[in-house]
Amino acid sequence: MEHYHRHLSIDTLLERLRNAYPQGADAWQLAPVDQLHTGGIRASLSLCERVQRLGSRCILDIGAGSGGLLHLLAQLPDTRVVGIDLCHAYNRLNRGLGDIRRQSRAPALCTGDAAALPFADQAFDTLVMQHSLLNMPDSAGVLRECARVLEPGGHLLLHELVQGRSPGPLHYPVPWADSPRDSHLEDSSRLQQRLLCAGFEIIECRDLTANTLDWRQRQQTKERDPARAAKAPVSPRWILGPDFPQRADNLLRNLCDGRVAAIELLARLPA
């Protein structure tokens, strides 16, 4: 987890954004530093649409990171939204980016461990995780905690990277890990089995790998455009460090080799 904040200078990053956007920034302008998952901001908007269709009222974003998805969820009408992340530096950045956003509603935010959620039983009707389980060594324990804080009939929506069709040693470093020590990708079938053991029923599991590969290839083209890079006030390098291009290239290699896949999974806790 250290690589998430090793190169992070929160005050410098926020000051750069304030100078670039003195009237405040919108979600698209902040995406290079708060939409660090595959699929970018469009993936987060898609999750928000699904959450809205579920009729969610009380939402927990587990592993909220720098807050891209969390702040989009907070704009849904008639909802209470809470974010939790183990990395306190990310929570500080999340709050700072929230102050720069042009929006009216700010979510609640706390630092904590997903394997020991600091919330009462049945406190939420919807849980969302976006590229969170891949950093969690005890996914079974996390999913049991999810079942505990979710009310009967509630939903768990996952957008995760998992082991691909040709699992094997990954090319490192990747955006979420320096080495195998920090990477905890699971096979999709095993993940679904863990959900069943935690008391969930699987509603739908979609394979997003082809779309994710297309997205990463487009992003690589943009990132290698020096004119575009010079114009952008911030980039993922400000979060993940100067070796971000290598991390991004390795993600693309792992997707191409079938070592990594992407899924969107909706599960429900029976009433």
Side-chain angles (χ1 to χ4, degrees):
M1 296 287 286
E2 180 189 352
H3 79 282
Y4 282 127
H5 55 83
R6 183 189 306 137
H7 304 283
L8 180 59
S9 177
I10 296 173
D11 293 338
T12 301
L13 174 56
L14 294 177
E15 184 64 23
R16 189 179 181 97
L17 285 165
R18 291 189 190 99
N19 291 336
Y21 306 112
Q23 304 305 314
D26 62 29
W28 291 87
Q29 290 163 332
L30 293 178
V33 290
D34 71 3
Q35 303 283 353
L36 299 176
H37 47 79
T38 62
I41 188 172
R42 286 187 172 87
S44 291
L45 290 170
S46 176
L47 290 180
C48 287
E49 290 175 3
R50 296 209 71 174
V51 168
Q52 192 166 23
R53 290 198 299 270
L54 292 172
S56 305
R57 306 177 313 279
C58 192
I59 305 163
L60 175 63
D61 181 356
I62 301 174
S66 51
L69 173 62
L70 179 70
H71 287 270
L72 292 173
L73 289 168
Q75 305 316 304
L76 297 178
D78 303 319
T79 56
R80 182 173 74 88
V81 179
V82 180
I84 184 170
D85 200 278
L86 183 63
C87 181
H88 186 63
Y90 261 30
N91 286 336
R92 286 182 54 218
L93 175 61
N94 191 329
R95 292 186 188 279
L97 292 175
D99 292 339
I100 294 173
R101 291 175 182 274
R102 293 198 297 264
Q103 64 182 40
S104 57
R105 301 177 64 205
L109 188 63
C110 68
T111 300
D113 188 345
L117 291 169
F119 305 110
D121 295 356
Q122 302 182 19
F124 302 93
D125 62 28
T126 304
L127 310 179
V128 181
M129 285 197 277
Q130 187 174 40
H131 290 32
S132 300
L133 284 172
L134 47 69
N135 280 133
M136 298 178 180
D138 182 16
S139 60
V142 170
L143 295 176
R144 287 194 298 269
E145 276 292 272
C146 288
R148 180 184 65 80
V149 302
L150 193 61
E151 68 180 35
H155 293 87
L156 171 61
L157 180 59
L158 303 175
H159 174 211
E160 291 290 343
L161 295 181
V162 295
Q163 292 179 5
R165 66 184 183 277
S166 302
L170 299 186
H171 304 290
Y172 287 100
V174 286
W176 67 92
D178 288 336
S179 69
R181 180 191 62 184
D182 299 317
S183 182
H184 303 284
L185 300 186
E186 289 204 76
D187 174 83
S188 178
S189 297
R190 178 173 293 184
L191 175 57
Q192 292 182 54
Q193 186 60 43
R194 291 197 192 281
L195 283 161
L196 294 173
C197 290
F200 289 92
E201 57 185 15
I202 310 299
I203 304 300
E204 180 185 18
C205 185
R206 299 170 55 213
D207 188 339
L208 304 181
T209 308
N211 289 340
T212 301
L213 178 57
D214 288 344
W215 169 84
R216 185 59 248 166
Q217 289 170 330
R218 293 195 304 272
Q219 289 299 111
Q220 187 180 70
T221 300
K222 294 176 184 178
E223 291 157 3
R224 292 181 174 179
D225 181 345
R228 180 187 288 266
K231 184 178 179 181
V234 291
S235 85
R237 297 180 191 222
W238 285 74
I239 307 291
L240 298 177
D243 64 349
F244 168 72
Q246 182 187 6
R247 293 178 184 273
D249 287 351
N250 282 338
L251 170 59
L252 181 57
R253 289 178 68 193
N254 289 319
L255 287 165
C256 289
D257 291 350
R259 299 168 192 250
V260 171
I263 62 168
E264 183 182 296
L265 189 151
L266 179 64
R268 189 175 76 95
L269 196 64

